[in-house]
């Protein structure tokens, strides 16, 4: 672990450089021990934006671990990876295809670069009712519409379900389109090929982004960008990583990424058995509490639900018992288990969940929204003015902002999309929970193009 080792070698030195906490000296309490490794680009610690030492070695080890030509550490999350892979491969006026369940950072990148976008309706996962990838037949139909520069996939879904990405990639190859994959929730697939879904790296994607911090022991914002097979067509991606990432990258994040790579690279059969044991304990406990447990393709994820309760109410019940899930939706609660190793301890579930139905409102019927299988949205015209209108007056008009329930960060309405009555129903439901965008949605208003 070259970055971790470089930081250890620096211990005991006096800081006459930034950051201002001076190796944690000016910081109170328990954080001081951690902050002594929060350093900067001083002698012996290399430079993320021009690596020649420990960081270069760490990224070479990362590429070896994931079997890629080049891999990069990211300190601004998968968001910066998605931005860089799109800005680095597309240009203004290009047309790209995107699955509707993409993360908001993908849409932000498309807006920044000024491409025309064809959105594909997603498959519905039957057990949970959640979005899950695209059908290869619809993808082929969209690829036949016009020249497509790139197709951007989200794989696996946030709920841990995969789809036939191999066939989708083969279809893209027929039409000469680049394959860019937001595989944020798949950094751990490398741990055990027999247990976890196959990574899009192995399926020959052109660029893949991983959120190491989501499923590996890395600090929040720690991510990876992989280029499985390097070619000059992708050469702008490293330049955009330099432009978009902080010029003062966190050494704590980079050290955690170094450790996370070492962790997954050395995952063994005994570790897998330890993980499966803790997973079995949790599934048994959930079922003892009369919950329906859905086991996705990714064993690290568990989706649970209970008749008569919304996912949001169920989330409240979990939190009252001291368990904090990954997210909730109208029907489900998603749990993300730890990729534990042999000898590690993780608290086994003991608390009994409290099913006092009087504390919760009546479960409402989920809103059914019919989405066109193919929707094309032209690049934003920056000369168009915008204004806010009350929701009831926006039907038939063009949305000028996204509204994104968060988590998981999938927009329910896109900028450039025609607003329907069903959109309004969904927006009124989203309004009751945490969301991003929708600047005045809390006032029952939406921004539209004039």
């Amino acid at each position: 672990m070259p970055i971790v080792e470089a930081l250890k070698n620096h211990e005991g030195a006096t800081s006459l450089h930034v950051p201002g906490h001076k190796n944690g000296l000016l910081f109170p309490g328990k954080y001081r021990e951690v902050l002594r490794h929060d350093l900067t680009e001083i002698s012996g610690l290399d430079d993320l934006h021009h690596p020649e030492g420990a960081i270069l070695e760490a990224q070479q080890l990362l590429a070896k671990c994931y079997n890629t030509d080049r891999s990069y550490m990211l300190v601004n999350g998968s968001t910066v990876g998605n931005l860089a892979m799109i800005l680095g491969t597309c240009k203004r006026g290009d047309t790209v295809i995107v699955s509707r369940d993409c993360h908001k950072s993908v849409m932000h990148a498309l807006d920044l670069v000024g491409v025309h976008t064809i959105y594909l309706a997603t498959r519905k996962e039957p057990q949970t009712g959640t979005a899950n990838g695209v059908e290869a037949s619809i993808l082929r139909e969209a690829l036949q519409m016009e020249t497509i520069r790139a197709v951007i996939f989200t794989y696996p879904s946030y709920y841990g379900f995969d789809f036939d990405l191999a066939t989708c990639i083969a279809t893209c190859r027929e039409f000469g389109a680049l394959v860019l994959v937001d595989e944020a929730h798949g950094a751990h697939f490398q741990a055990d090929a027999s247990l976890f879904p196959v990574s899009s790296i192995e399926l020959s994607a052109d660029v893949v982004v991983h959120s190491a911090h989501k499923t590996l022991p890395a600090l929040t914002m720690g991510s990876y960008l992989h280029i499985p097979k390097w070619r000059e067509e992708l050469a702008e991606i490293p330049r955009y990583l330099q432009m978009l990432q902080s010029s003062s990258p966190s050494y704590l994040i980079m050290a955690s990424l170094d450790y996370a790579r070492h962790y997954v690279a050395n995952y063994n059969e005994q570790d897998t058995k330890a993980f499966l044991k803790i997973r079995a304990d949790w599934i048994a406990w959930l079922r003892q509490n009369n919950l329906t447990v859905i086991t996705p393709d990714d064993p690290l994820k568990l989706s649970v639900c209970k008749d008569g309760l919304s996912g949001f109410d169920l989330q409240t019940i979990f939190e009252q018992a001291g368990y904090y899930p990954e997210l909730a939706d109208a029907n489900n609660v998603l749990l993300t288990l730890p990729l534990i190793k042999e000898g590690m301890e993780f608290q086994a579930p003991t608390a009994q969940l409290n099913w006092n139905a009087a504390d919760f409102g009546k479960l409402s019927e989920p809103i059914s929204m019919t989405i066109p299988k193919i929707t094309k949205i032209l690049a934003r015209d920056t000369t168009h003015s915008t204004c806010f209108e009350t929701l009831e007056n926006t039907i038939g008009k063009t949305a000028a902002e996204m509204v994104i329930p968060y988590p998981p960060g999938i927009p329910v309405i896109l900028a450039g999309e025609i607003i329907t009555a069903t959109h309004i129903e969904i927006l009124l439901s989203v309004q009751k929970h945490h969301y991003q965008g929708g600047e005045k949605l809390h006032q029952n208003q939406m921004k539209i193009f004039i």
Side-chain angles (χ1 to χ4, degrees), residues 18 84 146 155 206 389 409 422-423:
V18 299
E146 57 188 281
Y155 171 89
D206 293 298
E389 284 273 11
T422 304
H423 280 128

Side-chain angles (χ1 to χ4, degrees), residues 248-263:
S248 300
S250 165
Y251 274 79
L252 291 177
I253 293 177
M254 288 190 287
S256 76
L257 288 170
D258 196 18
Y259 173 72
R261 183 271 314 157
H262 184 273
Y263 188 94

